[in-house]
Amino acid sequence: MRRALKKLLTDTFEVKGIWYLPGSSMTEESVKGILRYSPNEITLELIGTFHGHSFVDIKDPSSLTIYGFSDHGEWFTLLHCLPAQALISAPGFDTITYAVAYFYAGTQLVEDESAALVKNASFSLTNLDAWLDYKIIKQDGELGTKKLMLTIDPNAFTGDRKLLHIRSRALKLSEEIRYNLVFPKESFLGEKTEIIVQRFYRFSSESEDLLSPKYLYETIQQLRQLLTLLIGYAMYFSYIEFQFPNTKETTPDGKEIEHKHFCRIFFSQAGDPFKSRKRLRDAQRAILIKRYDLSADMESVFDHWFQEQEQLSEIASPYISDLYLPAYVENKYLNVVRGLETYHRFFISSPQEDDPLDSDRASILSFINENIPEANRDHFIKRVCYEDEKSFRKRLKDLFHLVPANLVIRLFGEMNATQKNKLISTIVDTRNYFTHRDDKGKYANVVSDDKTLDVLTDQLSVLLQYFCLTHIGIDPAVVEQRLLDQLH
């Protein structure tokens, strides 16, 4: 069995060891147990209880940090551990099982995740090889000739390996590659020569300062959202690895040796990473925005995503989440429609939206904030700020006006003004019905059968993709063509 530090987030494995609480003695107050990891669940089963804890503590809602040392000699830090199950056996061994939110393998240094502890973070994702589509093998000669030479040069990337400066975060993002050759024992026995290539990203500070694991982890998750949006498929982490500052040791003969110190974080991932990876491998052309589509704009696109992360995340996150987990078609529809409406609120300013009541509304809100008890303010503010369906209709009309005509025609067919208004009424009525769940008879154009609603959801998803991708700086003509290609 490989050690935990070499394991992937897509693996399932167990770690046997001794476990103890911070501040207690590893040798005298530790408990034997097994840490079990799978992409969907993490548990720690202990044979016995920690010193000063009893099985009654299983009702205690407070979470624990637990340290561990495995039978392979690796250190562990388990965070946010909650007692989940206890089994009292007489005769036999009493056991208690903790649900573990996530853990670090290879260190006990990460007790305060907000502290500046690490130099960089390297990470890879499923389907990343399809996105980072560059090659390191050069061919001299032709197949079928007497001489064919293949040269492996990790520095000669087809597509140009990039170093991106994420200035809004004062971070560098580098594209990296690692490969390993497995040679046959005898070249004439038909054995395989394997080239194992691993593509990954690495975040580090522009100033070479140390960074906190929490900050890097959150930034990596935000980058995954962007890549999911670009590719159009779910992407799952293969690993996230943090590098600590090197330590130095002097040997008995006076030599100074420098040691590198890494750790990996393990956490549960929603969805099915294996199904997603197989689907994309079966259809490489299904990638929505290719890496080469970004060309010289790649750095500005990535930086723009992080600059407006708070707003873009509110728009795109619900839609992106639906790519990872199965969802009811009604919820998927509402998420997409909400994304379109929120995009308009944040990024489209239309003279038509100037409301003569705005100044009066501001006066009423000021009165509420100054005179109504805080506990009751939301009740009145929501009513003052309520926008009726006419506002939503106007937003949809604006959005349809901004989408390229060819894309609208491919999605909905040729439409005259009356047909376009009917489509907008359908979108509005369907949104209102599934939001309020009141009398369906109030909504003349509601779509209620799953098949038609699924088609409408997919059509509106394309509009949301168009707006999000063009907003972060991708050439609108490129986005339009790639969406048309996929629809074809």
Side-chain angles (χ1 to χ4, degrees), residues 221-260:
Q221 288 282 8
Q222 291 162 2
L223 178 63
R224 181 179 72 155
Q225 279 196 328
L226 171 60
L227 292 173
T228 302
L229 187 65
L230 292 171
I231 289 178
Y233 283 87
M235 298 186 75
Y236 296 87
F237 289 107
S238 301
Y239 71 89
I240 300 178
E241 184 174 270
F242 299 100
Q243 182 178 3
F244 294 88
N246 296 346
T247 57
K248 294 182 179 180
E249 176 186 358
T250 303
T251 63
D253 58 359
K255 292 182 179 179
E256 196 174 70
I257 301 176
E258 193 169 52
H259 297 283
K260 292 184 177 181

Side-chain angles (χ1 to χ4, degrees), residues 182-435:
V182 181
F183 292 99
K185 296 177 182 178
E186 298 289 343
S187 58
F188 297 104
L189 296 181
E191 296 182 80
K192 293 181 180 178
T193 298
E194 294 182 333
I195 306 173
I196 303 171
V197 180
Q198 179 192 8
R199 297 174 175 89
F200 61 98
Y201 274 122
R202 176 177 290 143
F203 266 124
S204 58
S205 170
E206 286 275 19
S207 61
E208 305 301 328
D209 292 337
L210 295 181
L211 300 163
S212 77
K214 181 179 180 181
Y215 177 69
L216 284 171
Y217 174 78
E218 291 172 350
T219 305
I220 290 169
Q221 288 282 8
Q222 291 162 2
L223 178 63
R224 181 179 72 155
Q225 279 196 328
L226 171 60
L227 292 173
T228 302
L229 187 65
L230 292 171
I231 289 178
Y233 283 87
M235 298 186 75
Y236 296 87
F237 289 107
S238 301
Y239 71 89
I240 300 178
E241 184 174 270
F242 299 100
Q243 182 178 3
F244 294 88
N246 296 346
T247 57
K248 294 182 179 180
E249 176 186 358
T250 303
T251 63
D253 58 359
K255 292 182 179 179
E256 196 174 70
I257 301 176
E258 193 169 52
H259 297 283
K260 292 184 177 181
H261 183 187
F262 299 90
C263 78
R264 288 192 175 185
I265 185 172
F266 289 85
F267 50 90
S268 299
Q269 300 191 82
D272 186 350
F274 307 103
K275 179 180 179 181
S276 172
R277 192 169 190 176
K278 181 177 185 299
R279 183 182 180 189
L280 197 53
R281 281 178 172 172
D282 291 345
Q284 290 288 321
R285 290 179 297 177
I287 294 178
L288 178 56
I289 301 296
K290 311 294 192 295
R291 178 176 170 276
Y292 61 77
D293 288 331
L294 303 184
S295 186
D297 298 326
M298 188 170 178
E299 184 173 272
S300 63
V301 167
F302 277 50
D303 195 35
H304 197 155
W305 172 260
F306 283 105
Q307 281 180 355
E308 301 191 35
Q309 173 59 210
E310 185 176 351
Q311 292 172 308
L312 288 170
S313 180
E314 186 173 340
I315 294 166
S317 286
Y319 159 73
I320 292 173
S321 296
D322 288 337
L323 297 177
Y324 287 85
L325 286 171
Y328 290 111
V329 64
E330 298 93 336
N331 292 336
K332 292 173 64 176
Y333 175 80
L334 290 174
N335 284 339
V336 172
V337 170
R338 190 180 300 115
L340 289 169
E341 185 175 13
T342 305
Y343 178 85
H344 190 286
R345 288 178 188 272
F346 285 159
F347 300 127
I348 298 178
S349 58
S350 169
Q352 299 176 358
E353 288 189 61
D354 291 340
D355 191 342
L357 298 178
D358 277 348
S359 60
D360 294 333
R361 184 181 289 113
S363 299
I364 295 173
L365 290 174
S366 177
F367 176 84
I368 291 172
N369 287 323
E370 292 174 4
N371 297 277
I372 302 299
E374 186 175 355
N376 300 324
R377 284 178 194 167
D378 282 350
H379 175 80
F380 294 98
I381 289 174
K382 287 178 181 177
R383 282 154 178 76
V384 173
C385 295
Y386 172 77
E387 296 182 67
D388 61 18
E389 70 174 48
K390 288 184 180 179
S391 174
F392 184 38
R393 288 178 189 274
K394 285 194 297 181
R395 294 184 192 281
L396 286 174
K397 288 180 179 179
D398 286 345
L399 292 173
F400 271 100
H401 181 71
L402 295 172
V403 179
N406 287 339
L407 193 55
V408 175
I409 293 171
R410 180 68 63 84
L411 287 168
F412 303 102
E414 295 273 5
M415 293 186 295
N416 56 33
T418 301
Q419 291 169 323
K420 183 175 288 188
N421 287 333
K422 176 69 179 297
L423 172 62
I424 290 174
S425 294
T426 298
I427 298 170
V428 172
D429 284 356
T430 305
R431 190 281 301 260
N432 290 342
Y433 171 69
F434 286 118
T435 298

Side-chain angles (χ1 to χ4, degrees), residues 54-93:
S54 68
F55 287 106
V56 178
D57 293 332
I58 194 165
K59 297 181 181 179
D60 183 359
S62 60
S63 63
L64 297 174
T65 295
I66 299 175
Y67 288 152
F69 188 70
S70 75
D71 56 358
H72 285 296
E74 290 179 300
W75 296 101
F76 291 83
T77 302
L78 283 53
L79 295 171
H80 302 294
C81 306
L82 288 168
Q85 182 181 2
L87 178 62
I88 302 175
S89 178
F93 295 101

